[in-house]
DNA sequence: TTAGTTATTTTGATGAGTCAAAATAAATGT
DNA sequence: ACATTTATTTTGACTCATCAAAATAACTAA
């Protein structure tokens, strides 16, 4: 398993090479990681030995496919943890990055998956940064949920993010299936209740947790 | 800040001296930490220098007040994280200890507090191990909540564990104050709803999160 | 007591990650 | 083209946490 130091090196290489294929300089990496350049050179050579990066001496460094895979997984953990800290624990938008810096190295892939499901597979973190998919892709499309959408606005359900039979049965019985139209008439944080209403039908009470599993988009 | 190695040494010393004041042997500590005895001797001397423990050469080691404070804080993190993993993420009862082993060193005191509030200030972790209080006390009394109690059983509310004005107003308006009698008539995991009923009154819907903040005990 | 067993401490070495500072290579300006 | 600036690499040293194995202290049974 990669140490958290290794994970940080790889993550920052990914961030510094945003999109493109360019080489990342030792200096930029040293700056980002808050270490001296000589340390980066040493570590990068070790990372090249372990197959995570390709090192072009005196030019720069680039992630290999394997290095990129690890980096995306760390970034995914980081951003999903941020979602959790803001959406569930109601922490300060500006403070969560530091927290996530620690947690990204401590959570297992198992916890990562469950966190992802709990949060309704968010496409971006609270800052709007895209969250890498489980498969390492970055989807740009973003959806709201019944727990986060604007009250009274007409919506279309696009996705159910809890695959448990229990929850899916509940969804089916209440006609909250993908494609259906719906709107949220009330949301009470104290009691944790969301009231949703279908075009023709009685109001339905859901917990915030349940509502967060139902993804929507504004009706065209 | 204590490294996670230091936190582990202190935590295991606390666990090994369960309750009593006895000295912990180097051998027992080495066993618990899965390191050789010589390593423990070295670390314990360093911990004595930093004021976390008192070392009696060839006899054993004991936590100082400061060492105990740190150890209790780590243990609190460990057990609250276990609660979170089981109660919120629905993880396997048996698997969470390993996860918590990592997370206990990664979460800040801020996250710890919010997790504690989210979970309704549980007195024990999913295994029944008592959770040290914020102040470092181990209360032996354990209560159920409206989210965990037996359905239909007559209960008395003993504690409200969310101090926010918003939630307390909600509690007051619905007469869910400490001392009141109540019973849970229904609990639906899929929708996340708990239905509570006072002796004289209409049924009241609460989210599981809200219900978890209301502690109860069986009526005598 | 005295020999033998067991726990603890000491000693020397290792790997990971780091820094300071010297050496080297590459880029730049005139 | 040559001297200067800038980035990178190398070298030697340090800290933290660890192990293996030798040395030492303490306990135990005759």
């Amino acid at each position: 398993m990669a140490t958290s130091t290794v994970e940080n090196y790889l993550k920052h290489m990914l961030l510094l090479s945003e999109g493109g294929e360019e080489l990342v300089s030792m200096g930029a990496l040293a700056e980002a990681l808050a270490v001296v350049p000589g340390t980066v050179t040493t570590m990068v050579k070790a990372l090249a030995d372990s197959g995570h990066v390709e090192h072009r001496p005196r030019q720069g460094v680039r992630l290999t496919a394997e290095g990129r895979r690890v980096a995306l997984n760390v970034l995914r953990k980081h951003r999903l943890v941020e979602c959790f800290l803001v959406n569930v624990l109601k922490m300060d938008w500006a403070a969560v990055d530091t927290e996530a810096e620690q947690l990204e190295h401590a959570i297992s892939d198992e916890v990562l998956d469950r966190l992802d499901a709990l949060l309704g597979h968010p496409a971006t973190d609270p800052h709007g940064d895209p969250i890498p998919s489980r498969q390492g892709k970055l989807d740009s499309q973003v959806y709201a949920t019944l727990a986060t959408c604007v009250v009274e606005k007409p919506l279309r359900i696009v996705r159910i993010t809890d695959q448990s039979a229990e929850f899916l049965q509940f969804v089916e019985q209440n006609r909250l299936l993908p494609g259906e139209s719906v709107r949220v008439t009330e949301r009470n944080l104290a009691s944790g209740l969301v009231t949703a209403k279908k075009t023709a039908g009685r109001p339905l009470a859901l917990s915030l947790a349940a509502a967060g599993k139902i993804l929507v988009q504004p009706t065209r």
Side-chain angles (χ1 to χ4, degrees), chain A residues 123-189:
Chain A
T124 72
D125 71 13
H127 305 103
D129 299 318
I131 297 171
S133 77
R134 206 168 183 284
Q135 290 74 34
K137 293 273 158 55
L138 279 183
D139 196 84
S140 54
Q141 179 71 303
V142 179
Y143 298 111
T145 73
L146 289 184
T148 62
C149 65
V150 176
V151 171
E152 286 300 346
K153 197 171 201 177
L155 306 164
R156 186 174 313 285
I157 296 171
V158 295
R159 195 162 150 206
I160 309 296
T161 61
D162 181 333
Q163 302 310 312
S164 76
E166 196 177 19
F167 189 71
L168 289 176
Q169 279 166 11
F170 169 77
V171 165
E172 188 182 349
Q173 271 169 20
N174 291 281
R175 304 280 142 74
L176 290 173
L177 300 164
E180 299 275 5
S181 293
V182 72
R183 68 180 208 282
V184 168
T185 57
E186 201 180 343
R187 189 180 294 126
N188 184 323
L189 281 315

Side-chain angles (χ1 to χ4, degrees), chain A residues 66-139:
Chain A
E66 172 59 9
R68 186 177 162 82
R69 193 192 61 73
V70 174
L72 280 165
N73 188 249
V74 175
L75 192 59
R76 179 167 155 79
K77 285 177 182 173
H78 181 97
R79 292 183 174 168
L80 274 170
V81 164
E82 284 190 341
C83 287
F84 171 75
L85 295 175
V86 169
N87 298 340
V88 180
L89 294 192
K90 311 296 181 195
M91 285 185 67
D92 178 18
W93 200 78
V96 295
D97 189 76
T98 317
E99 296 281 352
E101 213 67 45
Q102 302 305 311
L103 287 164
E104 68 189 4
H105 310 298
I107 73 173
S108 67
D109 288 353
E110 163 87 6
V111 169
L112 176 66
D113 282 348
R114 289 177 184 265
L115 221 40
D116 186 36
L118 174 76
L119 295 164
H121 305 288
T124 72
D125 71 13
H127 305 103
D129 299 318
I131 297 171
S133 77
R134 206 168 183 284
Q135 290 74 34
K137 293 273 158 55
L138 279 183
D139 196 84

